[in-house]
């Protein structure tokens, strides 16, 4: 956890502070980017809105918050000493453990001295005469540097729905993505949770154990599998550590950046029903988001997908005792895996509790938040606390929250008005020297994020090193290369079932957001090879000038 006594830089004067590179965000991307650039001897400044490191794991402190990638893989691979000395406690690490890890990394590599905490970047303007970015913060800082790297995260701008009367509620209102550091005690309270995505599915069982009564307001039921989390066996950990190099190499060659996910060649429809059911049962009891990777065509063939979906639907019906409640919890409007598949601990079992009520807000939508609770089209629910588990403006929200201007009269918000456009997810045409870590157009959220982060940071580091060595002051994605990449991202996505779902992958959770499938579905291994090919061809698709 962050040290509450850590020193926060005092506001600076209006004098412009020069750096070699500026990084926005001190999550896992920003921390590793800082470490790599400092190793080049560069003067680097990181601006971080939070009071500590960790990014999404700093803010998302809601009860039950946990990673859905196994901890032995959801960790940095760049330092052998780090991965040998750090001991993960659980198969799927909890938020406090991940935050402790982030703080350990920051301390171990002495990163804090170059991070300005409690400092939000308001604007970034490119100066075409000096080929530098000038950043302004809410504390009065003005800093400039030839290179600006956005490490703002893909899931870091909470989406707070604008329900009528929201501010009139007399009880406590929370968002899972902005959870109080001191935690929340729901004992004896009437609680309402809005949303049943990943954060809601993790938080609901925990809140139900405390609350006098919990009402879950669900618009869309989700597929979720048991996490089967458990403490890590020390001997098993030792075996992994002895072979970490090989495991990391397998992860680099894997589509999702996860060594534990097999690359399959068999169709779900090739196996007889009894064999297929056993494959799904094995996946269910193993507990993994790789469930949709049990067969090669679960995300491309509707008939194959339905075999997996119906297996999970059957599990929901067998767990939830009330058939009517089970029916409302059973997804039927999207293919399994086309929304982020969830891992849970006792989620469906929670609806068997006497103090939990499921409210279907698709048939009876929420009309308003009142002073005393939530009013739907059918009735009003009196509540003492409301939890918004309504997710994020994913992949683009945090970037577009910054007023980014290119020095030629255009803003990033204007350019992306019809949806994000990037070349390789790394840069966007018209905005020179501006890099994005794990941005739209890259595999990012469809992978082990730390695998994607390390790949991006390593590529950006080598790029900046070469630009400086060659005296190249300006690098910009070419419009033709960007257009071709965006077309390729769309073509690959359209070969799958994923764009058909109303997911945050397409921005469907944010009213008015353009419907564009944002991540790259070709696989991290394919993407990595493409990035290396571009660099080897003297940064093909980028315009370089001195």
């Amino acid at each position: 956890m962050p040290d509450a006594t850590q020193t926060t830089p005092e506001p600076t004067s209006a004098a412009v502070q020069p750096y070699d590179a500026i990084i926005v965000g001190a999550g896992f991307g920003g921390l590793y980017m800082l470490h790599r650039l400092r190793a080049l001897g560069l003067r680097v400044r990181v601006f971080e809105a939070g009071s500590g490191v960790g990014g999404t794991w700093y803010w998302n402190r809601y009860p039950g918050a946990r990673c859905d990638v196994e901890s032995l893989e959801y960790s940095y691979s760049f330092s052998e000493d780090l991965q040998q000395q750090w001991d993960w406690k659980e198969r799927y690490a909890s938020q406090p453990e991940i935050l402790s890890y982030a703080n350990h990394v920051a301390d171990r590599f002495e990163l804090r001295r170059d991070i300005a905490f409690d400092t939000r970047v308001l604007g970034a303007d490119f100066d075409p005469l000096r080929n530098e970015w000038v950043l302004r913060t809410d504390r009065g800082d003005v800093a400039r540097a030839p290179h600006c790297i956005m490490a703002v995260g893909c899931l870091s701008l909470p989406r707070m729905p604008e329900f009528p009367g929201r501010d009139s509620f007399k009880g406590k209102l929370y968002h899972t993505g902005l959870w109080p550091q001191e935690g929340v005690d729901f004992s004896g309270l009437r609680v309402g949770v809005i949303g049943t995505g990943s954060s809601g599915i993790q938080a609901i069982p925990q809140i139900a154990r405390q609350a006098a009564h919990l009402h879950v307001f669900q618009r869309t039921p989700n597929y979720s599998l048991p996490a089967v989390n458990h403490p890590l066996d020390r001997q098993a950990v030792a075996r992994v550590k002895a072979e970490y190099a090989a495991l990391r190499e397998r992860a680099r060659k894997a589509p999702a950046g996860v060594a534990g996910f097999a690359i399959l060649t068999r169709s779900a429809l090739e196996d007889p029903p009894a064999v297929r059911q056993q494959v799904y049962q094995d996946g269910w009891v193993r507990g993994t988001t790789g469930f949709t990777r049990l067969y090669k065509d679960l995300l491309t063939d509707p008939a194959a997908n339905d075999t997996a979906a119906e297996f999970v639907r059957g599990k929901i019906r067998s767990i939830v005792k009330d058939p009517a409640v089970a029916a409302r919890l059973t997804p039927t409007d999207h293919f399994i895996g086309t929304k982020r598949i969830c891992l849970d601990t006792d989620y469906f079992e929670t609806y068997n509790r006497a103090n939990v009520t499921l409210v279907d807000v698709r048939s009876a939508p929420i009309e308003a938040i009142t002073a005393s609770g939530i009013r739907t089209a059918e009735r009003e629910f009196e509540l003492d606390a409301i939890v918004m588990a309504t997710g994020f403006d994913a992949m683009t929200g945090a970037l577009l929250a910054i007023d980014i201007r290119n020095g030629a009269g255009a803003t990033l918000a204007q350019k992306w008005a019809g949806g994000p456009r990037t070349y390789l997810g790394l840069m966007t045409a018209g905005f020179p020297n501006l890099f994005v870590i794990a941005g739209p157009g890259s595999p990012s959220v469809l992978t082990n994020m730390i695998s994607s982060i390390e790949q991006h940071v390593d590529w950006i580091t080598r790029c900046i090193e070469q630009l400086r060595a060659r005296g190249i002051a300006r690098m910009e994605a070419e419009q033709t290369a960007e257009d071709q990449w965006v077309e390729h991202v769309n073509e690959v996505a359209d070969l799958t079932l994923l764009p058909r779902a109303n997911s945050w992958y397409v921005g469907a959770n944010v009213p008015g957001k353009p419907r564009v499938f944002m991540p790259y579905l070709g696989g991290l291994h394919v993407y990595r090879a493409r990035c290396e090919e571009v660099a080897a061809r003297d940064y093909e698709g980028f315009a370089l000038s001195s």
Side-chain angles (χ1 to χ4, degrees):
M1 303 290 284
D3 183 355
T5 64
Q6 69 186 23
T7 301
T8 300
E10 292 297 321
T12 65
S13 68
V16 178
Q17 302 296 315
Y19 298 97
D20 296 314
I22 297 171
I23 301 166
V24 183
F28 281 106
L31 291 177
Y32 184 42
M33 191 81 251
L34 171 60
H35 175 68
R36 289 300 312 274
L37 292 181
R38 235 172 40 179
L40 296 181
L42 303 190
R43 187 179 182 210
V44 186
R45 192 61 164 168
V46 180
F47 292 112
E48 166 55 47
S51 300
V53 301
T56 190
W57 298 109
Y58 172 84
W59 298 104
N60 285 264
R61 301 165 183 260
Y62 61 85
R66 190 177 298 279
C67 189
D68 60 3
V69 176
E70 295 193 35
S71 55
L72 288 167
E73 294 211 50
Y74 190 82
S75 51
Y76 288 123
S77 68
F78 70 86
S79 168
E80 177 65 12
D81 287 344
L82 174 64
Q83 63 184 11
Q84 289 296 329
Q85 293 178 12
W86 180 266
D87 285 320
W88 293 101
K89 297 181 177 64
E90 296 181 87
R91 180 190 183 193
Y92 293 108
S94 65
Q95 178 272 335
E97 187 176 14
I98 298 171
L99 188 57
S100 294
Y101 176 71
N103 277 278
H104 172 78
V105 170
D107 293 335
R108 180 186 183 90
F109 297 101
E110 300 181 351
L111 301 178
R112 296 182 195 276
R113 68 173 185 263
D114 292 318
I115 304 173
F117 292 107
D118 297 304
T119 306
R120 185 175 296 277
V121 173
L122 301 177
D125 298 84
F126 185 69
D127 180 349
L129 298 179
R130 301 179 62 168
N131 288 319
E132 289 185 335
W133 281 93
V134 181
L135 276 69
R136 298 169 284 106
T137 78
D138 61 352
R139 299 190 62 179
D141 304 275
V142 181
R144 67 165 62 235
H147 303 288
C148 179
I149 302 100
M150 293 293 176
V152 294
C154 297
L155 298 172
S156 53
L157 184 67
R159 190 185 79 83
M160 183 70 83
E162 296 291 337
F163 290 117
R166 190 187 69 192
D167 297 334
S168 69
F169 182 55
K170 300 299 184 184
K172 295 292 187 179
L173 184 65
Y174 304 99
H175 191 289
T176 49
L178 293 169
W179 205 257
Q181 293 193 30
E182 65 276 12
V184 180
D185 185 0
F186 291 108
S187 298
L189 301 183
R190 299 165 300 176
V191 183
V193 173
I194 301 175
T196 53
S198 294
S199 56
I201 283 174
Q202 289 184 331
I204 284 165
Q206 301 295 321
I207 295 173
R209 294 187 181 103
Q210 283 190 335
H213 199 93
L214 173 63
H215 285 88
V216 177
F217 296 84
Q218 174 193 266
R219 183 180 61 183
T220 305
N222 251 320
Y223 293 100
S224 187
L225 283 73
V228 195
N229 187 46
H230 53 73
L232 286 172
D233 177 76
R234 294 299 96 195
Q235 292 182 339
V237 171
R239 287 194 295 271
V240 170
K241 287 188 174 185
E243 301 175 356
Y244 239 144
L247 181 142
R248 300 298 195 183
E249 187 59 29
R250 290 199 304 275
R252 292 185 186 97
K253 296 177 180 177
V258 178
F261 289 176
I263 298 176
L264 298 156
T265 58
R266 192 167 183 80
S267 164
L269 303 179
E270 291 182 59
D271 278 345
V275 173
R276 193 168 55 228
Q277 286 294 102
Q278 189 59 52
V279 170
Y280 292 147
Q281 178 64 23
D282 292 345
W284 177 269
V285 300
R286 189 162 67 247
T288 171
T289 55
F291 188 82
T292 51
R293 298 176 185 273
L294 295 174
Y295 289 105
K296 69 174 184 178
D297 53 355
L298 293 183
L299 295 179
T300 57
D301 184 331
N305 185 281
D306 192 59
T307 65
E310 186 52 36
F311 174 86
V312 176
R313 293 183 196 124
K315 288 293 187 180
I316 296 170
R317 291 189 289 265
S318 70
I319 294 169
V320 181
K321 295 177 181 178
D322 185 328
V325 175
R328 292 199 296 273
L329 287 167
T330 301
T332 57
D333 67 345
H334 63 281
F335 298 103
I336 187 170
T338 56
K339 293 186 175 184
R340 187 175 180 89
I341 201 164
C342 302
L343 293 184
D344 71 81
T345 300
D346 298 331
Y347 174 65
F348 293 113
E349 290 85 348
T350 296
Y351 293 94
N352 295 327
R353 297 176 62 101
N355 70 326
V356 176
T357 300
L358 180 65
V359 182
D360 180 8
V361 295
R362 173 167 289 182
S363 60
I366 294 174
E367 294 184 337
I369 293 178
T370 67
S372 58
I374 294 175
R375 187 178 74 242
T376 71
E378 289 185 344
R379 56 165 287 196
E380 183 165 347
F381 298 85
E382 293 192 355
L383 303 168
D384 303 303
I386 298 174
V387 175
M388 299 282 193
T390 46
F392 304 89
D393 185 348
M395 301 203 73
T396 60
L399 270 173
L400 296 180
I402 302 170
D403 183 18
I404 302 174
R405 297 174 178 268
N406 70 353
T411 68
L412 187 64
Q414 290 169 337
K415 180 182 176 181
W416 286 7
R421 300 185 68 82
T422 70
Y423 179 38
L424 299 174
L426 284 160
M427 301 188 89
T428 186
F431 292 78
N433 296 5
L434 179 72
F435 296 95
V436 181
I437 295 177
S442 74
S444 61
V445 294
L446 298 174
T447 70
N448 173 359
M449 277 298 297
I450 296 188
S451 294
S452 278
I453 283 168
E454 287 191 322
Q455 183 270 330
H456 259 195
V457 169
D458 290 342
W459 192 94
I460 293 169
T461 301
R462 290 193 300 269
C463 178
I464 290 176
E465 182 179 27
Q466 291 183 36
L467 296 181
R468 290 173 62 86
R470 294 165 58 183
I472 294 171
R474 184 166 176 156
M475 177 178 185
E476 181 179 348
E478 295 176 347
Q479 189 63 60
T480 300
E482 176 176 289
D483 292 344
Q484 291 173 345
W485 182 252
V486 170
E487 183 180 357
H488 175 61
V489 170
N490 290 332
E491 286 176 345
V492 173
D494 288 341
L495 294 173
T496 76
L497 303 173
L498 274 79
R500 302 192 195 183
N502 290 321
S503 68
W504 56 258
Y505 296 141
V506 298
N509 64 318
V510 179
K513 188 169 182 176
R515 188 184 178 94
V516 175
F517 193 83
M518 293 180 282
Y520 176 58
L521 260 168
L524 183 57
H525 60 320
V526 172
Y527 175 80
R528 183 190 302 275
R530 175 60 179 153
C531 289
E532 294 303 316
E533 179 184 39
V534 164
R537 293 180 176 177
D538 197 23
Y539 296 99
E540 181 181 54
F542 293 98
L544 309 178
S545 56
S546 59

